[in-house]
Amino acid sequence: MRDHFEIRDHDAAGRIGRLEVPRAGVTVETPALLPVVNPNVLTIAPSRLREEFGAEMLITNSYIIRSTDRIRDRVLAEGLHDFLEFDGAIMTDSGSFQLAEYGDIDVTTEEIVEFQREIGSDVATPVDVPTPPDVDRERAERELETTQRALADAEAAETGEMLVNAPVQGSTFPDLREEAGRHATETDLDVFPVGAMVPLLNSYRYAEVVEAVRAAKRGLDPDAPVHLFGAGHPMMLALAVAAGCDLFDSAAYALMARDGRYLTVSGTEHLEEMEYFPCSCPVCAEHTPAELREMEGSDGEGDGGADASAERLLAEHNLHVTFEELRRVKAAIRSGNLLELVDRRARGHPAMLDGYRALLDHADELERTDPVSKDAFFYTSHESARRPEIRRHRDRLARLEVPDRLLLTESNAPSTHDYDAVWRVKPPLGPFPRALSETYPLTAEVPERLDEAARVAAAEGVAALASANPDTEITLGHDGWSEAALDAVPDRVETEDLRTLGRSG
Ligand SMILES: [Zn+2]
């Protein structure tokens, strides 16, 4: 039980939670986005991040502070919160990223955790090894051992009220990620970043991001706060939250702005090529792309000053659109339509669709935390036929009382019959007694022009009912189902095409 993290609402594996950060004296609502603040270049003042953008927490790099003479002594003297002029919670990274980039750093976990405590960090990070994707297994295992030693060193360190990250590594080996999650959960550390995701995120390998998160979550406690380290593109927030991530950090807003890139919920645009801004944030409401291009500082040579430059304005838009999406994700969790939002985002890029499909491969895991009742289920794509609700309905069917002779029919028309009972069939859910038709998810809104996936899913529901009730005589009245759907219906179920009987509708 982790008493500093409380989960309030669930949808799929996504949740709204409250992370208590005792050293900062604040409680942060999750999912939360932590803007990455470069201690050398404050693109947007941290006080503005809190007041104008609503950032309750940010992340900065203690390794950079420690190795930059100009600021180290000032931060040690003033403390991190005064130095950054930020009164929310501050997480600090340790130099692991630099280790991954340059192969060597001159600090141990013991030293850097101590330094993070001295400068007043609220959440510290040990020196783990972010093993990149696609390495050989031997390297992934060896580096995981180093990471596990770093977690032990962090546990042994004097940390007081400061929370400490326990990064979960394991490269692209799901079993190593799961084992790393289990090991991390057994420490007394507090927050669980899934690490080394940047190479996967940068190359849009969202299916593998989802696999890594799900593997880590299988090893972690269900109530552990999970941070998707390095993830902050608005396009993938809904997907990552639905997979079970609680914290995100965005360097993208500033890095992308430096290259003239404009973030949206369906991808990244180039300022150079834009004629219109599809956004109503203060920056986009007051400027046109042409105006931004004409401004000084849009030449991509970020000078660090970032006054009223196009770069800073672009960074502000990038942050606005990211926080807006985060609020939309939270609202979706509260309404129970997070998977509808993920489905919409999946249409923005084929790689996002891969991510959504990978998530649905784990529908059984999502089902465990998915609420029993929420706003109406919207069938918006054939991926909807694989949602956890469909599986739960099928499991529920097996527990229902069933008479000896049962008619299952897509027809709503009343008719005389000589069955013991007549149940409704509704793709993609399958059969159910009419008395349940006002309960979730049977109230699903489904298009009239159904696709094959919905009918096949309904046929699988018929098969599940038949298999749970081997002695029941079942007849299925269907509305012109294809061979593929009828193939999923067991042979012992008699089928009638309502269209040829003139009874459809
Ligand atoms: Zn905007």
Side-chain angles (χ1 to χ4, degrees):
M1 185 65 204
R2 300 190 182 268
D3 54 9
H4 61 283
F5 186 57
E6 182 196 350
I7 297 169
R8 294 277 175 101
D9 291 279
H10 263 117
D11 193 12
R15 58 264 188 106
I16 291 179
R18 289 167 66 82
L19 178 70
E20 202 188 313
V21 188
R23 200 176 189 197
V26 300
T27 300
V28 174
E29 185 180 72
T30 64
L33 178 87
L34 286 53
V36 176
V37 171
N38 179 340
N40 285 310
V41 190
L42 302 178
T43 310
I44 302 174
S47 57
R48 288 190 59 207
L49 291 176
R50 177 139 204 194
E51 284 149 27
E52 290 174 40
F53 297 86
E56 296 183 90
M57 191 167 182
L58 54 77
I59 180 167
T60 191
N61 193 314
S62 70
Y63 180 75
I64 293 177
I65 295 173
R66 189 174 177 274
S67 42
T68 311
D69 296 335
R70 193 167 55 77
I71 54 175
R72 183 186 53 239
D73 295 337
R74 235 191 99 189
V75 178
L76 275 167
E78 293 175 17
L80 200 47
H81 288 79
D82 283 353
F83 173 76
L84 293 176
E85 295 179 30
F86 186 77
D87 58 2
I90 302 179
M91 180 185 282
T92 41
D93 200 357
S94 61
S96 300
F97 184 75
Q98 284 69 19
L99 178 67
E101 290 287 296
Y102 312 117
D104 193 27
I105 57 170
D106 60 353
V107 71
T108 64
T109 287
E110 201 182 357
E111 290 162 349
I112 200 70
V113 169
E114 168 65 13
F115 181 72
Q116 289 170 93
R117 194 178 63 78
E118 280 173 3
I119 59 177
S121 171
D122 301 310
V123 186
T125 309
V127 184
D128 61 313
V129 186
T131 310
D134 314 316
V135 301
D136 62 65
R137 190 177 174 95
E138 194 256 340
R139 176 177 166 194
E141 286 178 349
R142 191 178 63 236
E143 294 185 352
L144 198 52
E145 278 175 31
T146 309
T147 290
Q148 296 187 345
R149 277 198 300 278
L151 300 198
D153 291 345
E155 269 188 292
E158 180 65 47
T159 52
E161 281 196 312
M162 181 171 69
L163 301 179
V164 180
N165 278 321
V168 177
Q169 299 293 348
S171 183
T172 22
F173 298 97
D175 61 319
L176 293 185
R177 285 271 180 197
E178 185 174 341
E179 184 197 314
R182 203 167 295 120
H183 173 269
T185 234
E186 283 162 8
T187 66
D188 63 10
L189 303 180
D190 310 286
V191 180
F192 301 88
V194 179
M197 290 287 110
V198 170
L200 294 178
L201 292 162
N202 284 349
S203 46
Y204 281 27
R205 291 165 67 179
Y206 293 121
E208 287 156 285
V209 171
V210 167
E211 292 299 345
V213 168
R214 287 312 313 166
K217 299 258 320 176
R218 284 193 293 277
L220 288 166
D221 278 342
D223 60 356
V226 175
H227 181 168
L228 191 60
F229 234 169
H233 196 301
M235 170 169 72
M236 50 74 66
L237 286 178
L239 175 69
V241 169
C245 299
D246 307 295
L247 299 170
F248 301 89
D249 56 276
S250 177
Y253 77 97
L255 294 177
M256 299 259 189
R258 200 167 299 164
D259 298 337
R261 282 183 285 176
Y262 177 100
L263 304 184
T264 80
V265 292
S266 49
T268 308
E269 311 263 354
H270 293 267
L271 179 62
E272 279 309 312
E273 295 160 9
M274 294 180 80
E275 207 171 328
Y276 304 99
F277 283 143
C279 170
S280 304
C281 81
V283 173
C284 298
E286 285 166 27
H287 302 87
T288 65
E291 283 166 16
L292 243 61
R293 281 195 292 269
E294 283 159 19
M295 287 176 71
E296 211 181 333
S298 61
D299 55 5
E301 297 171 14
D303 58 1
D307 292 332
S309 69
E311 180 189 326
R312 200 199 70 207
L313 290 172
L314 213 45
E316 289 185 17
H317 156 80
N318 288 344
L319 212 49
H320 276 299
V321 74
T322 310
F323 276 104
E324 175 184 301
E325 179 70 354
L326 195 70
R327 291 190 296 274
R328 192 178 286 117
V329 166
K330 288 181 190 177
I333 295 173
R334 288 299 295 269
S335 306
N337 50 29
L338 180 59
L339 289 179
E340 277 85 352
L341 179 60
V342 175
D343 195 307
R344 286 210 295 285
R345 295 296 174 251
R347 310 301 136 185
H349 194 287
M352 283 293 306
L353 186 53
D354 277 330
Y356 182 34
R357 288 176 177 169
L359 182 68
L360 292 170
D361 286 345
H362 300 285
D364 55 336
E365 293 170 16
L366 306 187
E367 196 270 333
R368 281 176 221 148
T369 46
D370 200 49
V372 175
S373 185
K374 27 181 167 168
D375 277 8
F377 177 117
F378 279 11
Y379 189 90
T380 48
S381 73
H382 67 84
E383 278 76 25
S384 306
R386 295 176 61 209
R387 281 177 46 168
E389 292 93 333
I390 309 288
R391 174 181 301 262
R392 177 183 293 148
H393 173 65
R394 235 173 255 168
D395 294 344
R396 186 161 77 156
L397 275 181
R399 298 195 298 271
L400 292 177
E401 193 123 337
V402 172
D404 293 340
R405 298 188 66 243
L406 178 63
L407 173 65
L408 310 175
T409 177
E410 272 190 281
S411 169
N412 265 325
S415 61
T416 53
H417 63 80
D418 52 6
Y419 296 93
D420 298 329
V422 181
W423 285 14
R424 208 145 159 235
V425 174
K426 178 173 176 170
L429 291 148
F432 54 89
R434 281 174 201 273
L436 293 181
S437 49
E438 294 306 312
T439 62
Y440 188 86
L442 303 168
T443 47
E445 296 279 349
V446 176
E448 284 183 25
R449 295 164 185 242
L450 275 173
D451 55 33
E452 188 81 346
R455 293 197 174 109
V456 170
E460 287 165 359
V462 172
L465 184 71
S467 122
N469 301 278
D471 300 328
T472 298
E473 200 178 295
I474 300 176
T475 304
L476 169 69
H478 64 86
D479 193 6
W481 285 10
S482 67
E483 280 303 314
L486 290 172
D487 279 350
V489 177
D491 289 342
R492 76 171 191 84
V493 173
E494 200 174 312
T495 59
E496 292 175 354
D497 189 336
L498 299 170
R499 289 188 186 180
T500 49
L501 295 174
R503 274 194 276 150
S504 84

